[in-house]
Amino acid sequence: EAGVTQFPSHSVIEKGQTVTLRCDPISGHDNLYWYRRVMGKEIKFLLHFVKESKQDESGMPNNRFLAERTGGTYSTLKVQPAELEDSGVYFCASSQDLLGLAPTDTQYFGPGTRLTVL
Amino acid sequence: TQLLEQSPQFLSIQEGENLTVYCNSSSVFSSLQWYRQEPGEGPVLLVTVVTGGEVKKLKRLTFQFGDARKDSSLHITAAQPGDTGLYLCAGVNIQGAQKLVFGQGTRLTINP
């Protein structure tokens, strides 16, 4: 079974440009999460989709970030316009819907997209 | 805002030694997970501890959840070079709200 995939693996852009990151979750996983690790800091939650709906977007830094998951399959995270502080590694993770059968689901992480804003 | 303080951030020891990594918080977590991350890859789940005081063993790795579910530790016995990597703790704050709160990570190097 294929794991979580992310594209691109690396992106280098100029400040003010737009970048779109893509995440393909494991097939059948309703939950999709975006996280970000800024250099020297811990991995931080950005948002959580259940199917195509945003369950929790409390971690989104500001309105320059737009996440979508049309059709409840893959997700995109667009940064427009990018700023220097947006540099970091963006991780996507997916998990099954356990319907309350277990206290914690297992999130499977993708390899991340390393974004560098110059 | 819930925080997890993970220590140490860097640890370099000789093969065969024992080590312990700590994660501490002032907040209660419903469960706590430990991950290992290799370069160029995402974190991979090692274990989940749920009950206060719970101890889980994975070969030479022992994971413990504090009685009050605010802290956790990872102990490695007789470390091997293959244990080298980045270890992350992550807390789940509310059952049903599955966002993870991560510690900063411990970069572990085991020297042959």
Side-chain angles (χ1 to χ4, degrees), chain B residues 28-97:
Chain B
V28 176
F29 290 97
S30 64
S31 63
L32 198 132
Q33 300 181 322
W34 285 90
Y35 290 81
R36 178 173 168 173
Q37 185 180 3
E38 302 296 338
E41 298 179 7
V44 175
L45 180 66
L46 295 175
V47 76
T48 301
V49 284
V50 178
T51 307
E54 183 176 4
V55 177
K56 281 191 175 178
K57 292 194 173 184
L58 196 65
K59 296 183 181 178
R60 293 175 293 98
L61 278 60
T62 301
F63 305 86
Q64 185 161 6
F65 203 10
D67 291 341
R69 292 187 288 135
K70 293 182 180 181
D71 56 271
S72 181
S73 63
L74 157 60
H75 182 80
I76 300 180
T77 304
Q80 304 292 312
D83 296 328
T84 293
L86 178 66
Y87 291 83
L88 300 158
C89 62
V92 181
N93 56 356
I94 302 171
Q95 201 161 336

Side-chain angles (χ1 to χ4, degrees), chain A residues 6 15 28 48 51 57 63 75 102-103:
Chain A
Q6 293 186 244
K15 174 184 172 181
H48 170 204
K51 297 184 180 177
E57 52 184 327
N63 59 11
S75 175

Side-chain angles (χ1 to χ4, degrees), chain A residues 21 23 25 29-35 45-58 60 65-78 91-97 105 107, chain B residues 96 98-99:
Chain A
L21 314 180
C23 168
H29 282 192
D30 288 337
N31 294 294
L32 187 148
Y33 307 82
W34 284 98
Y35 293 87
F45 167 83
L46 295 178
L47 89 158
H48 170 204
F49 283 100
V50 177
K51 297 184 180 177
E52 67 275 7
S53 299
K54 291 177 185 174
Q55 179 79 8
D56 181 353
E57 52 184 327
S58 60
M60 295 288 264
F65 289 75
L66 175 64
E68 294 180 323
R69 193 183 182 194
T70 306
T73 54
Y74 71 91
S75 175
T76 58
L77 179 64
K78 181 192 288 188
F91 292 103
C92 174
S94 72
S95 70
Q96 288 183 309
D97 183 358
D105 62 353
Q107 295 185 25
Chain B
Q98 297 289 333
K99 64 182 179 185

